[in-house]
């Protein structure tokens, strides 16, 4: 499972701009919000390529950062954030 930066920020109870600021300060993402070291951090972050057709401008391309599942505890450690508590599993309650 991968999360975009907005969902990752929500996971840590932050705003997207606050998460981006912390990640930039630590050198994890660059000015385009893409991983600064894609090879080194490939287990945790990746750049997702996107494209769409615009009727007047033709094919448009974009890139965005995705945080992998293994990247959540890594990111918490890198940024000094606390991992949210895992909710109790109530499926076995009768």
């Amino acid at each position: 499972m991968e999360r975009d930066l907005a969902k990752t920020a929500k996971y840590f109870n932050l705003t997207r701009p606050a998460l981006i600021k912390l990640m930039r300060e630590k050198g994890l993402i660059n000015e385009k919000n893409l991983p600064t070291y894609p090879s080194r951090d490939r287990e945790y972050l990746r750049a997702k390529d996107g494209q769409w057709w615009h009727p007047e401008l033709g094919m448009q391309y974009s890139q965005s950062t995705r945080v992998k599942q293994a990247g959540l505890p890594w990111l918490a450690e890198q940024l000094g954030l606390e991992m949210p508590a895992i909710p109790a599993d109530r499926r076995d309650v009768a």
Side-chain angles (χ1 to χ4, degrees), residues 1-9 11-12 16 19-20 23 28-30 32-52 61-75:
M1 181 177 163
E2 295 180 340
R3 292 175 162 87
D4 61 20
L5 293 180
K7 289 179 182 171
T8 303
Y11 178 81
F12 288 116
R16 182 176 174 272
L19 177 65
I20 288 171
M23 291 178 76
L28 301 177
I29 58 175
N30 60 24
K32 293 182 179 180
N33 297 338
L34 298 173
T36 306
Y37 303 103
S39 295
R40 181 192 76 181
D41 299 335
R42 70 180 169 268
E43 297 296 320
Y44 314 111
L45 305 173
R46 82 171 181 99
K48 178 183 181 271
D49 295 321
Q51 63 185 32
W52 68 94
Y61 299 93
S62 67
Q63 286 187 308
S64 61
T65 295
R66 296 291 192 248
V67 179
K68 297 181 179 184
Q69 189 67 30
L72 294 173
W74 175 80
L75 199 56

Side-chain angles (χ1 to χ4, degrees), residues 76-90:
E77 181 182 327
Q78 296 292 315
L79 303 178
L81 302 172
E82 285 195 29
M83 289 288 290
I86 298 173
D89 186 0
R90 298 177 187 253

